[in-house]
């Protein structure tokens, strides 16, 4: 068999093997695997959060344009594992109370007096109109 017809027996074997192996997985194994994944995700988040913290400390000790770029990149890098960890949240009210402060840039857009591409402030006026 060649072409598209050769794949049919292969898919049948794969489906059979998947079903046979899926039947032997225990609830304990699923929970253990889930916990392993969660631990890996949170471990990555911790490493990048510590790196961000270190970048901020270095920048505050000796502010520079390069240091600022390093902090911004560390923040971007730390977002990836943090966002991956969001799947493990299950309605934690304590986290939900402060979560918006973490996922939003800590800035009141009404305090921006201009941006490089729109010096007439029209977007700020529109943003303020939406919130009032």
């Amino acid at each position: 068999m060649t072409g598209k017809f050769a794949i049919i027996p292969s898919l049948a074997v794969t489906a059979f093997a998947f079903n046979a192996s899926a039947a032997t997985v225990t609830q304990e194994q699923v929970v253990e695997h889930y916990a392993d994944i969660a631990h890996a995700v949170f471990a990555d988040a911790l490493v990048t959060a510590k790196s961000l913290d270190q970048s901020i400390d270095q920048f505050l000790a000796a502010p520079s344009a390069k240091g600022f770029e390093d902090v911004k990149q560390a923040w971007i890098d730390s977002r990836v594992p943090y966002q991956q960890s969001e799947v493990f949240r299950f309605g934690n009210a304590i986290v939900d109370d402060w979560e918006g402060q973490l996922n939003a840039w800590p800035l009141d857009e009404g305090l921006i007096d201009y941006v490089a591409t729109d010096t007439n402030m029209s977007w700020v006026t529109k943003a303020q109109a939406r919130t009032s």
Side-chain angles (χ1 to χ4, degrees):
M1 276 190 244
T2 61
K4 64 183 175 183
F5 296 108
I7 199 166
I8 294 172
S10 175
L11 288 175
V13 169
T14 302
F16 175 77
F18 178 76
N19 286 337
S21 67
T24 61
V25 175
T26 67
Q27 182 176 352
E28 183 179 304
Q29 290 170 318
V30 171
V31 170
E32 184 176 341
H33 183 68
Y34 183 85
D36 289 344
I37 293 170
H39 183 269
V41 168
F42 283 109
D44 287 348
L46 178 61
V47 167
T48 56
K50 286 181 176 181
S51 178
L52 173 61
D53 193 42
Q54 184 178 18
S55 293
I56 292 169
D57 288 344
Q58 290 171 349
F59 175 71
L60 293 176
S64 68
K66 182 185 180 323
F68 185 56
E69 292 303 315
D70 291 346
V71 168
K72 290 192 299 186
Q73 187 60 51
W75 185 82
I76 290 168
D77 293 345
S78 70
R79 292 292 295 167
V80 174
Y82 168 76
Q83 288 172 329
Q84 291 171 345
S85 75
E86 287 286 278
V87 72
F88 299 105
R89 288 187 48 223
F90 298 103
N92 184 337
I94 294 170
V95 173
D96 290 338
D97 287 343
W98 58 263
E99 194 267 339
Q101 296 172 20
L102 183 65
N103 278 326
W105 188 259
L107 175 68
D108 180 350
E109 64 273 357
L111 299 176
I112 300 173
D113 58 355
Y114 72 94
V115 293
T117 59
D118 184 9
T119 56
N120 68 11
M121 294 180 41
S122 63
W123 75 274
V124 174
T125 304
K126 291 174 190 172
Q128 289 173 337
R130 281 195 305 265
T131 59
S132 40

